């Protein structure tokens, strides 16, 4: 097993004889040097430099243990110096009703102060804190917080609970150590520590008293070191003192091939050649940290040396590939986010027609927890909004990690998921299997898992919900800008996009409407967007014409769809007669009505048909402001008396911008209408001075009014300028769309077929997996039926043989080639003529029947005929089973012979005798016995011996002796019993007993006789 040790970038650890790393503010600190002269088992003296001067940025070590953990903690603290500069938090499974003695016990192992954690206690270096019983503990800004447990006893996971908060609070300063313990607590938490670039150590399982927790941690493959407890302190101290790779200065030569940037590209190339996946679009900081973890595990300090190591060791490329795939997930991550999603899913599901399919895509599904969480949420929403209409769920869960996809497809998770999944959901959607939970088959069948590269493969389309949480944060900003339009393309109108809390839609706000800003739930706007605007995106969909949406693209200068033109003309004739244009929110003209040359003119240069560019100078700012207000307020805006300079002088124009909410084809567009307003008559001319003064005042008033409007427009435009500037680069690419307009429809069909082909390939892989499962189930069923030895025949509703077991050949000579022939075509060895009528009666009445049948060879069978019911309670034939009861029949025959022989013997002798069965019931009695005690022979048969003669035979010694005879077959003589008999009075009788044998073998019958009757005592 390989051990890895990482040094995350940015960790504020001090080191002897190395430059001090900069703090977050950029200033360098000068920590005090303290030497601890303590000899460690590895034979070296470790110099410890505590971190008191670095504020609260000291490492926090979580010591996690359960059963058998005290011994491991003792061995750990014996080798840990008291002035290491580390803070230790011990998290164990404690009895909630027992006395808390953990701090007193640990105090004997270490000279460091040991105390029970308290609510609001600040964590300090060189201190040990212990979790109290019956409390969940978390950490926030270095302060311990205690909470009452929310899970019932037996399902609590205090280690996972604390590690998840520690990972978020301390990040790269977090250290997780898993010691001995039972169960799997800590498995989810250590993944969170690893995700935040912390360190994970695990006790060697063979040295643990209980190895369940260590082995469960090792199965995650997120463990840096596997050591004995006494070895951990030295490795931990060496880890915190190790120099940071990120702090090394780069070579001065800018063209040097040893620079990390060049080496990183070579690493990407090696990974792509080995796995086919390109990580060059991932964020560099994240990639650097993952690579540093692998370099530190091999004690490699130079990137160029690590590139050489990758070339010489192909298996290391695989390990690095797994390291870069951050597979940290859990069920219902951010429960509040899923609660908010349910609220927004309800209206979406209510609008879905009956018998339709809800299509969902979850890229980056990792090991499947998020995908199954979505299925549970969707099913609960369907129960709420559509109990009487059928809606099918189809969820595509994809990832580039084949191992993760295979794990998710099996749906088998450890029992510690009980901390994230409610008891109701566990009961409804899971099946308990030993120490794990299995997703029910009906839930697994809803999800289609497949290997899919979001970077180069075509997306799934026509989606109602797309969930991509905590994936974009690991991708570069360029790839994020390319993916958001793809998500918009893949979703149906009004479909939902669910992102992670740290992800956003910067630059594409026009494509989505935020529904929940905190949890990043957005609704797709019905705004067309051309995928041709995506640059440098690998898959074909982005390189070719504006596939599915450009037929209605917001950037297309004109529409040639006659239906669209008719709708526009109908709307104009019903509302306005003046000249007008239909534009989108960007101002691009989609349709022109009437003569607009008076108000618009072609703009100089290579500009397009944009109303803001074509408007005459006097109207440009009024149109811009009105369009902006109409778009923001989604209502009509009217600008009265806008001045327009013409050849005849100044004229007034009424400018109206109407927002179009319907019909659906025009929704979101704007109608700009130009109306001439009569110019008011001028007053009679006054003197020349008055005229000049009036003209000047009028000009100043116009300029003031114009300035006010410009100022208002500027303020409004400045409010949205930040978002518009972010999309300027994308808008520059729209010039290419005119050249692609003739090929749009063909490209749309091609891309849709490509997407459908991807889905078919995915479904084919799923069906192949299901076929393998069915083959395995068929093999198991065949071996099970053969192992039972019960002859079984499966018939359909026409009594045609579908399947049979090998044991049937002893009764009916069937061969494998006889499948498909009616059962009535075969002769059997049964002495039974009603087999066919019985089968037809079962098929007609659905009532099982059975009978004991003998064959011509003397064998006996118990025949059962039952209807064949499918899982959905559909009758699809009958099942005939033959159980061999020859031995039972032989035993029955021998019993009858024994009874008849005993009866004949008893009736032949003149002595008082009685024959009993194993339960001491009277089988037969002689006439002498009946006459002696006044018992009716017919009525006495079948009664217990103790009930004869009004209880006169209730003698303990006699009963015990008879029971001993039945058990051991040992005869007895001269048993004297004194009792009060109804006819004889009180008498002393002497009995003897024998076991009746048949054909030399003991039977179950006993013979009780009276040898003599002494005189009454």
């Amino acid at each position: 097993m390989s051990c890895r040790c990482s040094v995350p970038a940015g960790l504020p650890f001090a080191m002897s004889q190395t430059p001090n790393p900069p703090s977050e503010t950029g200033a360098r600190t000068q920590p005090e040097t303290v030497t601890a002269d303590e000899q460690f088992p590895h034979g070296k003296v470790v110099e410890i430099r505590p971190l008191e001067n670095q504020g609260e940025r000291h490492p926090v070590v979580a010591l996690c243990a359960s059963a058998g953990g005290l011994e491991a903690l003792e061995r750990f603290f014996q080798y840990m110096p008291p002035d290491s500069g580390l803070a230790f938090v011990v998290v164990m499974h404690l009895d909630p009703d027992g006395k808390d003695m953990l701090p007193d016990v640990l105090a004997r192992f270490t000279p460091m102060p040991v105390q029970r954690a308290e609510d609001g206690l600040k964590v300090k270096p060189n201190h040990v804190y212990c979790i109290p019983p019956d409390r969940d503990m978390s950490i926030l800004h270095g302060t311990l917080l205690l909470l009452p447990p929310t899970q019932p006893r037996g399902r609590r996971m205090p280690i996972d609970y604390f590690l998840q908060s520690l990972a978020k609070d301390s990040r790269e300063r977090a250290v997780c150590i898993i010691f001995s313990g039972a169960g799997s607590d800590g498995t989810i938490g250590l993944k969170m520590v690893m995700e935040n670039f912390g360190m994970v150590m695990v006790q060697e399982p063979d040295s643990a008293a209980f190895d369940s927790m260590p082995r469960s941690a090792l199965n995650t493959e997120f463990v840096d070191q596997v050591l004995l407890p006494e070895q951990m302190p030295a490795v931990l101290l060496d880890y915190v003192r190790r120099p940071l790779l990120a702090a090394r200065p780069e070579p001065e030569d800018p063209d040097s091939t040893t620079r990390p940037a060049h080496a990183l590209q070579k690493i990407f190339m090696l990974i792509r050649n080995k796995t086919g996946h390109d990580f060059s679009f991932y964020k560099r900081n994240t990639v650097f940290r993952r690579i540093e973890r692998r370099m530190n595990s091999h004690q490699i300090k130079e990137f160029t040396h690590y590139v050489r190591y990758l070339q010489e060791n192909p298996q290391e490329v695989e390990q690095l590939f797994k390291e870069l795939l951050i597979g940290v997930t859990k069920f219902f991550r951010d429960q509040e986010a899923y609660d908010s999603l349910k609220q927004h899913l309800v209206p979406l599901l209510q609008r879905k027609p009956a018998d339709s399919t809800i299509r969902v895509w979850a890229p980056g599904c990792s090991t499947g927890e998020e995908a199954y969480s979505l299925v549970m949420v969707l099913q609960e929403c369907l129960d709420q909004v559509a109990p009487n209409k059928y809606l099918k769920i189809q969820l595509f869960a994809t990832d580039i990690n084949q191992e993760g996809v295979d794990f998710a497809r099996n749906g088998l998770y450890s029992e510690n998921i009980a901390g994230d999944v409610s008891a109701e959901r566990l009961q409804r959607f899971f099946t308990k299997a030993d120490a794990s939970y299995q997703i029910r088959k009906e839930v697994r069948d809803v999800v289609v898992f497949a290997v899919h590269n979001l970077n180069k493969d075509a997306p799934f389309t026509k989606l109602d919900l797309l969930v991509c949480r905590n994936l974009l944060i690991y991708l570069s900003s360029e790839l994020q800008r390319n993916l958001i339009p793809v998500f918009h393309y893949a979703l149906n109108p009004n479909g939902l996009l669910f992102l992670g809390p740290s992800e956003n839609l910067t630059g594409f706000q026009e494509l989505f409407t935020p529904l929940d800003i905190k949890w990043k739930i957005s609704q797709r706007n019905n705004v067309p967007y051309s995928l041709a605007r995506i640059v440098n995106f690998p898959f074909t969909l982005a390189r070719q014409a504006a596939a599915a949406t450009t037929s209605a693209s917001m950037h297309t200068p004109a529409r040639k769809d006659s239906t669209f033109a008719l709708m526009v003309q109908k709307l104009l004739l019903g509302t306005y007669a003046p000249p007008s244009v239909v534009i989108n929110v960007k101002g691009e003209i989609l349709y022109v009505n009437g003569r607009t040359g008076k108000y618009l003119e072609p703009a100089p240069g290579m500009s397009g048909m944009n109303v803001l560019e074509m408007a005459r100078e006097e109207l440009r700012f009024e149109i811009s402001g009105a369009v902006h207000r109409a778009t923001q307020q989604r209502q009509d805006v009217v600008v009265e008396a806008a001045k327009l300079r013409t050849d005849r002088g100044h004229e007034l124009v009424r400018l109206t911008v109407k927002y179009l909410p319907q019909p659906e084809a025009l929704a979101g567009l704007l109608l700009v209408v130009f109306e001439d307003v009569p110019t008011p008559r001028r007053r009679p001319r006054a003197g020349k001075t008055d005229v000049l003064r009036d003209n000047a005042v009028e000009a100043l008033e116009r300029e003031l009014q114009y300035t006010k409007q410009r100022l208002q427009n500027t303020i409004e435009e400045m409010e949205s300028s930040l978002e518009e500037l972010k999309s300027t680069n994308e808008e520059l690419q729209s010039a290419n769309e005119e050249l692609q307009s003739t090929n749009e429809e063909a490209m749309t069909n091609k891309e849709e077929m490509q997407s459908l082909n991807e889905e078919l390939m995915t479904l084919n892989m799923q069906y192949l997996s299901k076929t393998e499962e069915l083959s395995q189930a068929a093999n198991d069923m065949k071996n099970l039926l053969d192992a039972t030895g019960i002859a079984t025949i499966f018939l359909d509703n026409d009594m045609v043989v579908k399947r049979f077991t090998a044991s049937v050949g002893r009764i009916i000579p069937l061969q494998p080639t006889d499948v498909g022939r009616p059962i009535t075509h075969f002769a059997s060895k049964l002495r039974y003529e009603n087999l066919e009528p019985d089968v037809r009666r079962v098929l007609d009445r659905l009532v099982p029947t059975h009978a004991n049948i003998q064959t011509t060879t003397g064998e006996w069978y118990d025949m059962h005929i039952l209807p064949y019911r499918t899982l959905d309670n559909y009758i699809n034939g009958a099942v005939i089973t033959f159980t061999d009861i020859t031995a039972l029949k032989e035993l029955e025959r021998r019993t009858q012979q024994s009874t008849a022989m005993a009866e004949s013997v008893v009736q032949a002798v003149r002595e008082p005798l009685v024959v009993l069965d194993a339960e001491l019931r009277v089988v037969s009695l002689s006439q002498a016995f009946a006459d002696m005690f006044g018992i009716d022979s017919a009525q006495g048969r079948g009664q217990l011996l103790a009930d004869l003669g009004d209880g006169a035979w209730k003698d303990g010694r006699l009963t015990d002796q008879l029971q001993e005879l039945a058990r051991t077959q040992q005869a007895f003589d001269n048993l004297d019993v004194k009792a009060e008999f109804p006819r004889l009075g009180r008498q002393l009788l002497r009995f003897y007993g024998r076991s009746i044998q048949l054909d030399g073998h003991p039977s179950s019958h006993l013979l009780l006789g009276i040898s003599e009757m002494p005189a009454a005592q």
Side-chain angles (χ1 to χ4, degrees):
M1 181 178 298
S2 62
C3 300
R4 307 194 300 270
C5 184
S6 63
V7 179
L11 199 61
F13 295 147
M15 173 192 164
S16 174
Q17 299 178 352
T18 58
N20 296 329
S23 62
E24 287 184 337
T25 60
R28 296 186 180 272
T29 59
Q30 186 66 32
E32 179 184 0
T33 302
V34 179
T35 303
D37 298 328
E38 181 167 347
Q39 187 70 25
F40 284 86
H42 300 284
K44 65 177 181 179
V45 177
V46 180
E47 182 182 2
I48 308 302
R49 303 192 65 193
L51 309 173
E52 286 85 350
N53 293 339
Q54 297 196 37
E56 300 300 332
R57 295 186 59 80
H58 53 266
V60 179
V61 183
L63 306 177
C64 311
S66 179
L70 281 179
E71 178 186 357
L73 289 171
E74 178 182 6
R75 294 158 59 188
F76 175 84
F77 280 118
Q78 284 178 350
Y79 293 90
M80 177 58 67
D83 52 356
S84 62
L86 309 176
F88 301 92
V89 181
V90 180
V91 186
M92 295 188 66
H93 293 173
L94 302 176
D95 183 5
D97 302 325
K99 183 178 180 181
D100 185 16
M101 302 178 62
L102 182 60
D104 298 334
V105 174
L106 293 181
R108 300 198 298 265
F109 304 155
T110 176
M112 288 185 289
V114 181
Q115 63 185 109
R116 183 182 299 105
E118 298 178 359
D119 199 14
L121 184 63
K122 200 74 172 179
V123 175
K124 299 179 181 179
N126 304 321
H127 284 66
V128 181
Y129 304 92
C130 304
I131 186 174
D134 200 27
R135 282 293 181 270
D136 283 338
M137 182 170 63
S138 63
I139 186 170
L140 178 65
H141 304 313
T143 301
L144 296 177
L145 303 175
L146 302 179
L147 300 168
T150 57
Q151 295 293 334
R153 186 173 180 179
R155 294 178 55 191
R156 301 173 187 172
M157 299 293 174
I159 298 176
D160 277 331
Y161 190 87
F162 178 75
L163 289 180
Q164 292 181 58
S165 65
L166 176 65
K168 296 178 181 178
D169 191 66
S170 298
R171 296 185 62 80
E172 68 273 2
R173 293 173 288 110
V175 178
C176 164
I177 302 180
I178 303 294
F179 290 111
S180 170
S184 58
D185 195 8
T187 302
I188 295 177
L190 71 86
K191 293 181 182 179
M192 296 286 290
V193 173
M194 181 268 181
E195 183 185 29
N196 289 276
F197 305 100
M199 182 185 185
V200 178
M201 303 175 71
V202 172
Q203 180 180 358
E204 176 63 47
D206 294 338
S207 68
F210 294 86
D211 61 356
S212 298
M213 277 177 50
R215 293 193 185 279
S216 179
L218 290 176
N219 289 336
T220 64
E221 299 184 357
F222 293 150
V223 177
D224 295 300
Q225 295 285 350
V226 183
L227 301 168
L228 299 175
E230 56 268 24
Q231 297 173 340
M232 292 179 179
V235 176
L236 179 59
L237 294 173
D238 183 65
Y239 166 77
V240 301
R241 294 182 296 108
R242 189 172 301 167
L244 304 180
L245 293 174
R248 294 196 314 273
E250 295 185 3
E252 295 181 359
D253 183 6
D255 298 328
S256 173
T257 58
T258 61
R259 289 189 305 168
H262 290 178
L264 186 62
Q265 296 300 328
K266 296 177 182 178
I267 293 174
F268 288 154
M269 180 194 66
L270 292 173
I271 296 177
R272 186 179 61 184
N273 293 341
K274 180 69 175 178
T275 66
H277 297 295
D278 186 4
F279 284 88
S280 59
F281 285 100
Y282 279 55
K283 286 187 177 178
R284 294 302 173 90
N285 290 340
T286 301
V287 173
F288 267 120
R289 293 191 180 189
R290 301 298 171 190
I291 294 176
E292 287 170 2
R293 290 175 65 91
R294 298 302 306 167
M295 293 175 63
N296 287 321
S297 66
H298 299 292
Q299 299 297 312
I300 299 175
K301 297 182 179 180
E302 297 294 335
F303 272 85
T304 53
H305 296 169
Y306 186 61
V307 173
R308 183 70 175 179
Y309 184 80
L310 288 173
Q311 291 177 297
E312 297 174 352
N313 299 273
Q315 68 276 8
E316 176 63 19
V317 180
E318 290 286 349
Q319 292 295 329
L320 179 58
F321 172 69
K322 293 180 180 179
E323 187 83 9
L324 293 173
L325 297 179
I326 305 173
V328 180
T329 183
K330 66 176 185 177
F331 285 97
F332 299 99
R333 190 171 187 177
D334 300 322
Q335 180 61 49
E336 295 182 11
Y338 282 91
D339 295 339
S340 177
L341 177 64
K342 291 180 66 174
Q343 297 178 3
H344 298 294
L345 276 175
V346 169
L348 176 66
L349 299 181
Q350 288 175 337
R351 294 192 297 267
K352 295 287 291 184
D355 298 327
S356 61
T357 301
I358 306 167
R359 291 171 59 87
V360 185
W361 182 24
C365 67
S366 186
T367 49
E369 288 89 336
E370 183 176 72
Y372 289 126
S373 300
L374 290 173
V375 176
M376 298 180 208
V377 169
L378 286 168
Q379 190 59 56
E380 291 170 354
C381 291
L382 288 178
D383 295 342
Q384 176 182 352
V385 302
N388 297 324
K389 75 176 178 181
Y390 175 75
L391 292 176
K392 179 183 177 182
I393 301 174
Q394 187 177 39
L395 193 148
F396 300 96
T398 61
D399 200 279
I400 65 174
N401 186 2
Q402 180 67 57
E403 294 181 2
V405 170
D406 294 339
F407 182 91
R409 187 177 288 122
N410 292 331
L412 189 64
Y413 300 94
S414 60
E415 60 184 355
N416 61 352
I417 65 170
D420 302 318
V421 185
S422 64
E424 294 78 11
R425 285 170 173 160
L426 285 175
Q427 182 178 4
R428 179 178 180 183
F429 300 107
F430 293 82
T431 301
K432 191 71 169 66
D434 297 331
S436 59
Y437 285 97
Q438 171 82 49
I439 299 285
R440 291 186 181 272
K441 186 176 183 298
E442 55 267 24
V443 179
R444 284 184 282 125
D445 289 344
V446 170
V447 188
V448 177
F449 288 100
V451 176
H452 180 278
N453 193 334
L454 195 63
N455 187 21
K456 65 180 181 180
D457 294 333
F460 296 89
T461 57
K462 298 181 181 180
L463 305 173
D464 298 297
L465 173 63
L466 197 156
V467 180
C468 184
R469 305 191 70 224
N470 303 317
L471 174 61
L472 298 181
I473 59 176
Y474 300 108
L475 307 179
S476 65
S477 57
E478 179 184 0
L479 183 55
Q480 291 185 33
R481 289 193 301 269
N482 288 339
L483 286 177
I484 298 302
V486 175
F487 291 167
H488 180 270
Y489 164 79
L491 284 166
N492 287 329
N494 299 323
L496 298 182
L497 176 64
F498 188 20
L499 300 179
S502 301
E503 299 163 341
N504 54 64
L505 299 171
T506 302
F508 298 95
Q509 287 81 357
E510 73 275 9
L511 300 183
F512 296 91
T513 299
L515 300 179
D516 190 321
I517 298 177
K518 178 180 180 181
W519 297 115
K520 300 300 187 294
I521 302 176
S522 305
Q523 186 178 50
R524 181 193 187 274
N525 291 336
N526 192 19
V527 177
Y529 191 90
S530 174
L531 291 180
R533 298 174 61 183
I534 302 177
V535 294
N536 298 327
F537 202 63
F539 67 74
T540 312
L541 183 64
R543 288 186 176 274
Q544 299 176 356
T549 58
T550 50
S551 62
S553 174
M554 59 188 295
H555 303 283
T556 304
R559 302 198 180 200
K560 299 180 181 180
D561 188 349
S562 60
T563 304
F564 176 84
L566 290 175
M567 288 190 294
V568 174
Q569 291 176 1
K570 182 178 180 181
L571 178 65
L572 293 175
L573 293 176
T575 309
Y576 296 102
S580 54
V581 294
V582 176
I583 64 174
N584 58 21
V585 293
K586 297 296 183 180
E588 295 167 345
I589 298 175
L590 306 179
Y591 188 83
V592 180
N593 179 72
R595 303 176 64 86
T596 59
K598 180 179 179 181
Y599 315 99
L600 306 175
E601 61 182 1
M606 300 295 294
S607 62
M609 299 288 289
N610 191 293
V611 71
L612 302 180
E613 298 176 357
M614 298 178 61
R616 294 183 179 271
E617 184 177 359
E618 298 88 340
L619 299 179
R620 186 172 302 164
F621 299 104
E622 283 77 3
I623 294 176
S624 175
V627 168
H628 177 76
R629 293 196 301 273
T631 302
Q632 295 294 323
Q633 302 172 5
R634 297 194 174 186
Q635 60 184 10
D636 300 348
V637 176
V638 179
V639 178
E640 299 285 354
K643 292 183 174 59
L644 175 65
R645 181 179 299 175
T646 64
D647 296 338
R648 296 190 299 267
H650 285 81
E651 296 183 7
L652 300 181
V653 177
R654 178 184 293 112
L655 181 67
T656 303
V657 180
K658 182 178 179 62
Y659 182 82
L660 304 180
Q662 57 183 358
E664 183 177 357
L666 304 180
L669 301 180
L670 302 170
L671 177 66
V672 182
V673 182
F674 305 95
E675 295 180 272
D676 292 334
V677 179
T679 304
R681 295 182 178 180
R682 295 181 177 271
R683 291 177 297 175
R685 290 182 175 269
K688 183 177 181 180
T689 304
D690 293 338
V691 171
L692 294 176
R693 183 176 61 251
D694 291 344
N695 290 339
V697 170
E698 184 179 356
L700 290 174
E701 288 179 350
R702 289 199 304 270
E703 184 176 356
L704 178 61
Q705 182 66 26
Y706 173 76
T707 303
K708 288 182 179 180
Q709 293 180 359
R710 277 293 304 271
L711 178 60
Q712 180 65 28
N713 292 338
T714 302
I715 293 174
E716 294 176 352
E717 291 174 0
M718 287 296 295
E719 292 176 353
S720 61
S721 61
L722 178 61
E723 300 300 332
E724 294 177 355
L725 288 175
K726 293 179 181 179
S727 60
T728 301
N729 183 55
E730 287 80 358
E731 293 180 359
L732 295 177
Q733 306 297 325
S734 62
N736 293 328
E737 295 184 7
E738 289 188 33
L739 300 176
Q740 300 170 352
S741 59
T742 57
N743 198 32
E744 290 174 357
E745 293 297 329
M747 289 299 102
T748 299
N749 295 334
K750 179 179 179 180
E751 298 303 337
E752 288 182 355
M753 291 299 296
Q754 179 182 354
S755 180
L756 291 174
N757 185 51
E758 292 283 346
E759 295 184 16
L760 290 174
M761 293 177 62
T762 302
L763 290 174
N764 184 52
M765 294 176 60
Q766 187 76 1
Y767 289 147
L768 289 176
S769 177
K770 296 297 182 184
T771 301
E772 292 178 359
E773 293 181 6
L774 290 175
S775 298
Q776 184 62 39
N779 292 334
D780 294 342
M781 182 60 66
K782 179 180 182 301
N783 284 275
L784 174 63
L785 293 175
D786 292 342
T788 59
I790 300 176
T792 307
I793 304 175
F794 296 91
L795 306 176
D796 63 10
N797 290 323
D798 296 326
M799 300 183 64
V800 172
V801 176
K802 297 192 300 183
R803 191 178 293 107
F804 60 89
T805 61
S807 303
V808 173
R810 297 177 299 175
I811 305 169
I812 302 176
L814 293 178
Q815 300 296 326
T817 55
D818 294 330
V819 173
R821 298 175 59 187
I823 189 65
T824 55
H825 289 186
F826 301 95
S828 67
K829 299 178 182 180
L830 300 175
R831 294 176 177 174
Y832 188 70
E833 303 296 335
N834 296 327
L835 179 60
E836 179 183 355
D838 287 349
V839 174
R840 295 194 181 279
R841 187 181 307 109
V842 170
L843 291 175
D844 294 339
R845 302 180 182 180
L846 305 182
V847 177
T849 184
H850 73 93
N852 293 337
I853 305 174
Q854 189 179 24
T855 64
T856 56
T857 57
E859 296 176 333
W860 283 89
Y861 290 93
D862 182 19
M863 181 186 69
H864 283 261
I865 306 177
L866 302 90
Y868 183 98
R869 295 181 183 271
T870 61
L871 293 178
D872 51 359
N873 203 27
Y874 175 74
I875 304 302
N876 192 22
V879 181
I880 308 175
T881 61
F882 298 92
T883 305
D884 191 351
I885 59 172
T886 304
L888 294 177
K889 283 292 185 180
E890 180 64 20
L891 179 60
E892 180 182 355
R893 183 187 65 80
R894 290 171 55 191
T895 301
Q896 292 175 353
Q897 291 179 355
S898 175
T899 303
M901 180 179 292
E903 180 71 22
S904 62
V905 171
V906 168
Q907 298 301 329
V909 300
R910 297 182 178 181
E911 297 180 4
L913 300 174
V914 61
V915 178
L916 308 172
D917 60 13
E919 297 179 356
L920 303 186
R921 293 184 179 275
V922 176
V923 177
S924 177
L925 49 84
S926 65
Q927 190 61 41
F929 187 92
D931 295 340
M932 177 182 294
F933 298 103
I935 300 173
D936 186 271
S937 299
Q939 295 180 355
R941 291 188 179 89
Q943 294 188 27
L944 291 172
L945 178 65
D947 294 339
L948 296 177
D950 298 330
W953 296 88
K954 291 182 179 179
D955 186 272
R957 294 174 59 235
L958 179 59
T959 302
D960 294 341
Q961 195 66 45
L962 289 173
Q963 291 176 348
E964 181 70 17
L965 174 62
R967 184 171 59 256
T968 64
Q969 307 295 321
Q970 295 293 329
F972 65 87
D973 294 297
N974 302 326
L975 176 64
D976 295 336
V977 175
K978 182 185 290 186
E980 185 73 27
F981 297 97
R983 176 175 293 184
L984 303 178
R986 188 171 185 80
Q987 292 290 336
L988 178 63
L989 303 180
R990 181 166 294 166
F991 294 92
Y992 64 91
R994 299 289 186 273
S995 173
I996 299 178
Q997 295 189 351
L998 179 63
D999 297 336
H1001 300 283
S1003 66
S1004 60
H1005 291 164
L1006 308 176
L1007 177 65
L1008 178 64
I1010 302 175
S1011 57
E1012 59 179 295
M1013 289 178 49
Q1017 301 294 322

